[in-house]
């Protein structure tokens, strides 16, 4: 039997630190594991002290740590440290950063005095010297960019390394090289395909830039599943199940399948949600596709929309939120309602009872996004996802406001995003835009307007080459809809797959987030969902004032980052509004923490600062340590003031899904900070079975 060899990032990080003359011998020993990884004599031994099965392979003064299972061997690390014996037992070494002396999450969240006492704003940290002095030779072997040499060479202690002004991947590589990792955590790292061990040598010599992620069997199934089916394919899954990764690997399979079918130079479109995800997707596809990388175009759906419309009409002037509010106000003043006297007053009361936010959503996500062209059609169309019921008189009133809204936009030469998307569909249908794709992959379809989905269907030459990923419970923009309402070609019967294994968040974070979401779920959660990782319960804590929130965040972020051997740049604080974000970032800076508010368009994931970003801008991202905060500063996401009844209920359910998405950005540690007084409805429903509520009774 031949075993497949895969590896963890720590292994390749440590391999870079091994002197060149020793690498070949080590890799020759690694190749033996392909034939038989089981313990044998003094060459291969099992290490005690780990919850998982960890083994040691000796190669001279070096040792390779690995684990194995049915048909696979995973390389965990390689270093020069001596085996540690106690009696006749081979023991696991202690982690390089002794976690036992780091405060656990629970202690970081103990209540502090209010802001009358400022003496202990941030956690104190004990210092521990580095095992040996770093030098330029080691940094060169680790392929550390020269611009980071100065910061690293100044490091004398582990805390210096944690605080060094370098990106986290650089910090992690140095940590792996100078200290024995905590292999319990290495076991939790993603797996990468090693291929032939000669590829490890090529990587060590700089000829190979990186390795491809190994998918689990569930994910791998959907990479090629139903490629030759008669219609489109849908893969559903919760946060962290790898939908986007599967879609990227599917792009490679699709290119190969199209070529085998006789299309020599296939053209495939991959659409994703944000510009940040476009850059990430392009980098992975570059490695996946090799010489076929030019066969796949990666774009946001809206960038394609603008490109199509601009080619025919010129660059559209799309109204921002403030302009839309002004246009609506003018439209309300000039709307002409039906009938006389009482009829007109009844219609006026209808629109007066709806908030401007709700009216704009009704116009954008129902009328425009669903391409409703007449009052008669609007009077009968289902309004899936809308809690406020509207009778015929009320719908007529909204339609008259919509007509006035269109006239006002035209006077100001403005367009809404929904109008531009609708216009793009018209251009494609009319034949004025002739470009088509042999295959189309739509990632995170739940956040696209039905109009955009119709456009993407129209751009795909054949419906059976359309691949869609979605999770209705992550839908935070617009209303829900049924696939049948979108396009007759979107019939997934027999071609819907479900991913159930969460690879991002711990089981505790995932289950806590689902318990919070339950009342607002648009889709039934998958009962069989499984988790790869475990950890502490996420926490909910109440504070009385912004200063108290800042000190709590400082303790939590600093302590959690150190516990997970990260810089604070691996932490994110997700906030409801831009104003709250700037305030939170300023509060953390006053306590000596490096924190920056980053608008979505300026998001810099490589920054060493704590990233303070809005809840919606965090969609599609992930961070080891996450806090949801800013609510004590009076801000709530997307809940209009002064509304009640069904409209308030709809807004709360939508924003509950927003918070659910934000919670599921957390990989290892999660904290939600709520106001101690006047607790908003949105921040209720934290079940102590799943959440650390701080109640020790």
């Amino acid at each position: 039997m031949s075993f497949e060899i895969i590896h963890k990032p720590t292994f390749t990080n440590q391999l870079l630190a091994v002197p060149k003359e020793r690498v070949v011998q080590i890799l020759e020993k690694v190749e033996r594991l392909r034939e038989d990884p089981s313990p044998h004599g003094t060459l291969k031994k099992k290490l005690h002290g780990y919850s998982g099965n960890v083994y040691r392979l000796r190669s001279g003064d070096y040792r390779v740590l690995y684990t194995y299972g049915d048909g696979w061997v995973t390389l965990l690390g390689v270093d020069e440290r001596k085996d540690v014996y106690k009696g006749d037992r081979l023991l696991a070494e202690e982690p390089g950063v002794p976690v036992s002396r780091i405060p656990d999450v629970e202690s970081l969240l103990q209540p502090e005095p209010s802001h009358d006492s400022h003496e202990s704003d941030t956690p104190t940290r004990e210092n521990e010297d580095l095992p040996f002095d770093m030098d330029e030779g080691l940094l060169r072997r680790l392929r550390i960019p020269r611009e980071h040499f100065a910061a690293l060479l100044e490091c004398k202690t582990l805390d210096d390394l944690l605080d060094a002004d370098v990106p986290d991947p650089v910090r992690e590589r140095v940590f792996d090289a100078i200290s024995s990792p905590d292999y319990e955590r290495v076991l939790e790292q993603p797996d990468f395909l090693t291929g032939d061990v000669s590829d490890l040598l090529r990587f060590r010599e700089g000829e190979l830039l990186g390795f491809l992620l190994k998918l689990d069997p569930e994910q791998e199934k959907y990479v090629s599943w139903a490629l030759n089916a008669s219609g489109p394919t849908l893969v559903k899954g919760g946060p962290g199940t790898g939908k986007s990764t599967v879609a990227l690997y599917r792009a490679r399979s699709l290119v190969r399948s199209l070529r085998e079918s006789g299309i020599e130079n296939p053209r495939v479109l991959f659409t994703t949600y944000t510009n940040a995800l476009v850059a990430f997707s392009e980098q992975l596809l570059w490695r996946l596709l090799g010489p076929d990388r030019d066969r796949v175009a990666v774009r946001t759906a809206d960038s394609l929309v603008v490109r199509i419309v601009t080619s025919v009409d010129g660059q559209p002037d799309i109204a921002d939120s403030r302009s839309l509010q002004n246009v609506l106000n003018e439209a309300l003043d000039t709307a002409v309602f039906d009938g006389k006297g009482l009829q007109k007053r009844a219609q006026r009361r209808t629109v007066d009872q709806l908030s401007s936010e709700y009216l704009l959503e009704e116009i954008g996500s129902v009328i425009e996004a669903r391409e409703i062209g007449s009052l008669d059609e609007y009077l009968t169309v289902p309004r899936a996802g809308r809690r406020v019921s509207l009778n015929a008189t009320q719908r007529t009133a909204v339609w008259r406001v919509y007509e006035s809204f269109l006239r006002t936009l035209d006077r100001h030469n403005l367009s809404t995003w929904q109008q531009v998307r609708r216009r793009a569909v018209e251009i494609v249908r009319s034949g004025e835009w002739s470009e088509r794709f042999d295959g189309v992959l739509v990632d995170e379809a739940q956040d696209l307007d039905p109009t955009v989905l119709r456009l993407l269907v129209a751009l795909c030459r054949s419906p059976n080459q359309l691949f869609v990923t979605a999770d209705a419970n992550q839908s935070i923009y617009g209303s829900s809809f049924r696939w049948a309402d979108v396009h007759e070609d979107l019939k997934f019967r027999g071609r819907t797959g479900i991913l159930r294994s969460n690879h991002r968040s711990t089981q505790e974070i995932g289950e806590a987030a689902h318990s919070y979401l339950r009342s607002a779920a648009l889709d039934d959660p998958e009962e069989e969902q499984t988790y790869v990782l475990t950890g502490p319960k996420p926490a909910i804590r109440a504070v009385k004032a912004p200063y108290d929130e800042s000190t709590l965040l400082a303790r939590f972020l600093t302590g959690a980052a150190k516990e997970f051997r990260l810089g604070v740049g691996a932490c994110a604080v997700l906030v409801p509004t831009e104003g709250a974000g700037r305030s939170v970032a300023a509060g953390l800076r006053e306590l000596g923490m490096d924190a920056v508010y980053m608008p979505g368009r300026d998001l810099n994931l490589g920054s060493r600062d704590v990233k303070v970003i809005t809840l919606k801008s965090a969609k599609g991202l992930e961070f080891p340590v996450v806090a949801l905060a800013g609510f004590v500063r009076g801000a709530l996401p997307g809940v209009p003031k002064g509304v009640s009844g069904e409209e308030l209920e709809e807004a709360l359910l939508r924003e509950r899904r927003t918070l659910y998405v934000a919670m599921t950005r957390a990989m290892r540690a999660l904290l939600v900070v709520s106001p101690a007084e006047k607790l908003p409805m949105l921040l209720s429903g934290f079940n102590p079975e799943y959440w650390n509520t701080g109640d020790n009774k």
Side-chain angles (χ1 to χ4, degrees):
M1 177 180 180
S2 178
F3 286 75
E4 179 185 26
I5 295 181
I6 55 185
H7 65 265
K8 302 289 188 180
T10 288
F11 176 82
T12 46
N13 285 345
Q14 291 187 325
L15 188 67
L16 291 174
V18 176
K20 179 179 179 180
E21 63 272 13
R22 306 302 299 274
V23 171
V24 173
Q25 179 188 14
I26 291 171
L27 296 184
E28 287 176 350
K29 293 290 182 68
V30 166
E31 182 63 27
R32 295 188 187 182
L33 297 177
R34 195 185 300 277
E35 301 172 4
D36 181 13
S38 61
H40 179 71
T42 60
L43 180 64
K44 293 176 285 185
K45 284 191 175 184
K46 183 174 182 178
L47 300 185
H48 301 281
Y50 291 105
S51 57
N53 292 320
V54 178
Y55 302 85
R56 182 271 290 150
L57 169 70
R58 186 185 294 280
S59 176
D61 293 335
Y62 283 82
R63 63 177 187 172
V64 175
L65 271 70
Y66 68 96
T67 186
Y68 71 95
D70 185 15
W72 52 265
V73 175
T74 302
L75 307 176
L76 305 177
V78 53
D79 63 32
E80 197 179 9
R81 291 164 184 81
K82 303 297 183 182
D83 299 329
V84 178
Y85 287 92
K86 184 174 183 180
D88 59 353
R89 295 181 62 210
L90 185 63
L91 301 174
E93 292 184 6
E94 292 298 319
V97 180
V99 178
S100 59
R101 69 171 176 80
I102 301 171
D104 61 21
V105 173
E106 175 66 30
S107 67
L108 294 173
L109 298 175
Q110 292 303 315
E112 289 282 324
S114 192
H115 57 275
D116 295 332
S117 173
H118 293 193
E119 285 79 13
S120 56
D121 292 334
T122 56
T124 59
R125 302 190 307 196
E126 300 175 22
N127 256 339
E128 181 178 333
D129 291 340
L130 294 178
F132 54 82
D133 293 335
M134 277 188 284
D135 57 38
E136 291 194 5
L138 173 64
L139 298 182
R140 282 194 296 270
R141 291 206 304 277
L142 295 177
R143 292 198 214 130
I144 304 300
R146 180 159 286 278
E147 63 264 28
H148 302 310
F149 275 29
L152 291 171
L153 292 173
E154 290 180 0
C155 295
K156 304 302 180 186
T157 68
L158 292 174
D159 282 344
D160 291 342
L161 183 52
L162 285 166
D163 294 333
D165 186 6
V166 297
D168 278 322
V170 169
R171 189 188 335 273
E172 187 67 23
R173 181 168 290 182
V174 174
F175 259 123
D176 284 341
I178 68 171
S179 64
S180 183
D182 177 359
Y183 285 103
E184 296 284 2
R185 288 183 177 165
V186 174
L187 286 165
E188 296 176 348
Q189 292 177 353
D191 295 318
F192 288 86
L193 294 169
T194 305
D196 193 280
V197 292
S198 62
D199 288 341
L200 290 170
L201 183 60
R202 291 174 56 214
F203 173 78
R204 171 62 175 74
E205 297 302 312
E207 297 176 19
L208 183 67
L209 296 180
F211 298 86
L212 296 178
L213 184 69
K214 178 176 173 57
L215 304 182
D216 69 20
E218 180 185 60
Q219 295 169 327
E220 198 165 9
K221 169 186 174 181
Y222 294 117
V223 168
S224 56
W225 181 63
L227 268 174
N228 299 311
S230 59
T233 303
L234 169 66
V235 170
K236 299 165 60 178
T241 54
K243 297 185 303 297
S244 299
T245 301
V246 168
L248 289 164
Y249 277 70
R250 178 90 175 192
R252 180 176 64 176
S253 292
L254 184 56
V255 169
R256 292 173 177 173
S257 176
L258 289 167
R259 185 166 283 136
E260 289 170 0
S261 70
I263 302 174
E264 185 176 348
N265 294 305
R267 298 189 66 249
V268 172
L269 172 66
F270 184 98
T271 66
T272 189
Y273 193 71
T274 66
N275 287 319
L277 291 176
V278 165
F280 169 79
S281 301
E282 285 178 330
Q283 291 172 12
L284 184 53
L285 282 171
W286 185 271
R287 293 162 57 190
L288 274 172
L289 293 167
D292 285 333
R293 60 180 65 98
D294 294 333
R295 299 292 96 213
V296 180
V298 184
R299 298 193 182 104
T300 63
D302 276 338
S303 71
L304 186 60
V305 163
V306 171
R307 183 180 172 195
I308 292 170
V309 172
T310 301
S311 71
V312 177
D313 300 341
Q315 183 75 28
D317 190 358
I318 302 173
D320 58 23
S321 58
R322 180 174 296 180
S323 298
L324 284 177
Q325 184 63 60
N326 292 335
V327 168
L328 179 63
N329 292 339
E330 190 173 335
L332 287 168
D333 290 339
T334 58
V336 178
F337 296 107
D338 292 0
K340 299 179 180 179
L342 289 175
Q343 289 177 307
K344 285 188 174 182
R345 284 196 291 274
Q347 292 179 58
R348 168 60 67 181
R349 279 199 302 273
T350 290
V351 295
D352 286 344
Q353 289 170 356
L354 298 173
S355 69
S356 57
E357 290 88 350
Y358 198 87
L359 277 171
L360 286 172
E361 284 178 4
E362 185 74 11
I363 290 170
S365 65
V366 176
I367 297 175
E368 287 287 0
R370 303 180 193 191
E371 297 184 85
I372 297 172
S374 68
L375 173 58
D376 288 341
E377 185 181 358
Y378 180 51
L379 288 173
T380 59
V381 71
R383 298 166 60 252
R386 305 291 276 173
R387 292 289 178 121
V388 179
S389 58
L390 299 176
N391 60 31
T393 299
Q394 293 167 324
R395 290 199 193 197
T396 300
V398 172
W399 187 263
R400 298 311 177 204
V401 172
Y402 170 57
E403 292 174 328
S404 179
F405 183 77
L406 291 181
R407 292 191 296 268
T408 307
L409 282 171
D410 189 57
R411 282 198 301 273
H412 293 285
N413 294 314
L414 292 172
S415 300
T416 67
W417 267 111
Q418 286 83 7
Q419 287 179 316
V420 176
R421 293 163 184 156
R422 188 170 178 172
R423 175 60 179 147
V425 175
E426 293 172 356
I427 291 171
V428 170
R429 287 173 178 165
S430 69
E432 294 178 272
W433 178 270
S434 59
E435 183 179 20
R436 296 293 185 275
F437 295 91
D438 300 301
V440 174
L441 300 105
V442 185
D443 192 27
E444 302 286 8
Q446 75 276 352
D447 281 327
L448 299 179
D449 281 347
T451 314
V452 176
L453 288 171
R454 293 187 185 107
L455 172 68
L456 295 173
V457 171
L459 290 173
C460 190
R461 295 187 193 278
S462 175
N464 71 330
Q465 301 303 339
L466 184 72
F467 180 82
V468 177
T469 76
D471 175 12
N473 288 329
Q474 291 192 71
S475 179
I476 59 177
Y477 294 94
S479 302
S480 63
F481 56 83
R482 296 172 298 179
W483 296 110
D485 295 336
V486 177
H487 198 286
E488 62 180 7
D489 284 337
L490 289 179
K491 297 174 182 176
F492 298 108
R493 286 190 297 272
R495 295 179 303 278
T496 298
I498 300 174
L499 293 168
R500 293 184 170 88
S501 184
N502 187 317
H503 296 263
R504 175 194 297 146
S505 303
T506 64
Q507 179 174 350
E508 290 75 11
I509 290 173
E511 291 180 345
H514 275 293
S515 75
Y516 170 83
L517 172 72
R518 193 155 288 128
S519 63
L522 294 175
D523 241 358
D524 292 332
E526 297 304 327
E527 293 181 1
E528 299 178 24
Q529 186 163 26
T530 60
Y531 295 86
V532 175
L533 308 172
T534 60
K537 282 184 181 180
I540 171 77
R541 290 291 187 273
V543 295
K544 293 182 177 180
Y547 181 83
D548 300 324
E549 177 184 69
S550 297
T551 55
L552 178 63
L553 288 173
R555 289 197 310 276
F556 171 71
L557 298 174
T558 304
K562 182 161 186 178
E563 179 162 356
F564 294 110
R565 209 170 74 170
L566 299 165
V568 294
C571 303
V573 181
L574 310 184
V575 294
T577 64
E578 178 178 347
R582 296 191 183 281
S583 177
V584 167
L588 289 174
R589 287 196 299 272
E590 288 177 4
L591 297 178
M593 293 197 71
D594 296 321
V596 176
Y597 172 74
M598 297 182 181
R601 62 185 177 275
D602 298 326
L603 187 61
N604 177 11
L605 295 177
S607 167
R608 70 181 295 270
D609 304 295
V610 173
K611 295 157 187 66
V612 184
I613 57 182
T614 63
L615 299 164
K616 288 185 169 69
S617 293
K619 183 166 180 57
L621 304 176
E622 59 184 32
F623 303 92
V625 180
V626 170
L628 275 58
F631 309 109
V632 74
R633 298 163 199 264
L636 284 176
V639 181
K641 294 181 179 179
V643 301
S644 58
E646 292 175 323
E647 184 177 346
L648 177 61
E649 181 184 2
E650 182 176 331
L652 286 171
L653 292 177
R654 183 185 61 245
E655 297 313 320
R656 207 166 184 89
R657 294 192 294 273
T658 299
L659 289 188
Y660 165 77
V661 172
M663 291 170 187
T664 57
R665 301 309 93 195
M667 301 166 68
R668 295 292 185 274
L670 171 64
L671 168 67
V672 178
V673 186
S674 69
E677 301 173 356
K678 297 182 179 179
L679 182 69
M681 293 175 62
L682 191 60
L683 294 175
S684 62
F686 291 89
N687 186 338
E689 180 181 350
Y690 299 101
W691 288 86
N692 173 345
T693 60
D695 185 358
N696 297 319
K697 296 179 182 179

